[in-house]
């Protein structure tokens, strides 16, 4: 999980850095030089979608998604594990469905191009496919091998100390 988290976080950090530099350059070009850069808006939108979807994978890999543990607080550990498994399975099902629908949408809109760069809309839909499928894989791995994550966390703690 740590490797997935690091890879997704590195992708996100690099994408955000590109987004910030590109936006600053667009502002300077428009308001100081009087020569707007037309393509920055399209690239910004594309990058933001990829940042959010790959960020979802990183959040899941590092257990940082928002949760409400109201019910967990009153359940026994055994019922908590059962509830966690049910929520995980339902979430995986929804993520797979979301990924499948995004893929189907990407196939039907692949011919559509963005106005300025002429980039296929498929690349926007692919971000949803990657994010949903990647998050589902992380959740499935956690359900199948809950002990593997505990071992890797313990090993990482030993390395830090």
């Amino acid at each position: 999980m740590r490797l997935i988290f690091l890879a997704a976080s590195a992708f996100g950090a690099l994408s955000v850095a590109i987004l910030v530099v590109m936006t600053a350059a667009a502002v300077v070009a428009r308001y100081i030089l009087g020569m707007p850069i037309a393509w920055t808006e399209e690239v910004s939108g594309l990058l933001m979608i990829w940042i959010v979807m790959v960020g979802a994978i990183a959040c899941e890999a590092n257990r940082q998604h928002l949760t409400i543990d109201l019910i967990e607080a009153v359940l026994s550990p055994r019922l908590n594990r059962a509830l966690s498994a049910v929520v995980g399975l339902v979430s995986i099902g929804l993520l797979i469905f979301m990924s499948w629908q995004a893929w189907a949408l990407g196939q039907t809109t692949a011919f559509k191009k963005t106005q300025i760069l002429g980039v296929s809309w498929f690349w926007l839909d692919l971000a949803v496919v990657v994010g949903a499928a990647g998050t589902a894989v992380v959740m499935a791995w956690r359900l199948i091998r809950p002990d593997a994550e505990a071992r890797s966390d313990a090993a990482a703690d030993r390395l830090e100390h």
Side-chain angles (χ1 to χ4, degrees):
M1 291 297 151
R2 188 172 291 282
L3 183 61
I4 292 171
F5 173 73
L6 291 174
S9 295
F11 174 84
L14 180 62
S15 298
V16 168
I18 290 169
L19 187 62
V20 168
V21 169
M22 185 182 62
T23 303
V27 168
V28 168
R30 176 182 293 269
Y31 295 108
I32 295 176
L33 303 177
M35 299 173 8
I37 306 170
W39 53 266
T40 56
E41 185 177 344
E42 282 186 9
V43 174
S44 296
L46 201 131
L47 272 176
M48 282 190 266
I49 292 168
W50 276 94
I51 289 167
V52 167
M53 296 312 296
V54 173
I57 299 169
C59 283
E60 186 59 40
N62 208 31
R63 291 187 176 268
Q64 292 178 326
H65 273 133
L66 179 65
T67 59
I68 300 171
D69 59 355
L70 181 69
I71 296 173
E72 290 176 1
V74 297
L75 295 178
S76 69
R78 184 176 181 190
L79 285 175
N80 265 330
R81 284 191 300 276
L83 176 64
S84 183
V86 168
V87 169
L89 289 171
V90 169
S91 297
I92 290 167
L94 288 171
L95 287 164
I96 290 170
F97 179 74
M98 181 176 159
S99 182
W100 173 55
Q101 290 296 308
W103 181 259
L105 181 63
Q107 296 300 305
T108 61
T109 61
F111 69 92
K112 269 181 71 177
K113 307 286 185 207
T114 60
Q115 290 286 356
I116 297 168
L117 292 176
V119 174
S120 171
W121 279 76
F122 173 79
W123 295 105
L124 289 123
D125 299 323
L126 186 61
V128 179
V129 173
V130 168
T135 304
V137 166
V138 170
M139 292 180 90
W141 178 257
R142 190 171 285 129
L143 281 175
I144 294 167
R145 302 278 316 263
D147 58 324
E149 185 176 338
R151 283 195 309 266
S152 69
D153 287 346
D157 287 341
R158 283 194 302 272
L159 289 175
E160 289 176 2
H161 297 300

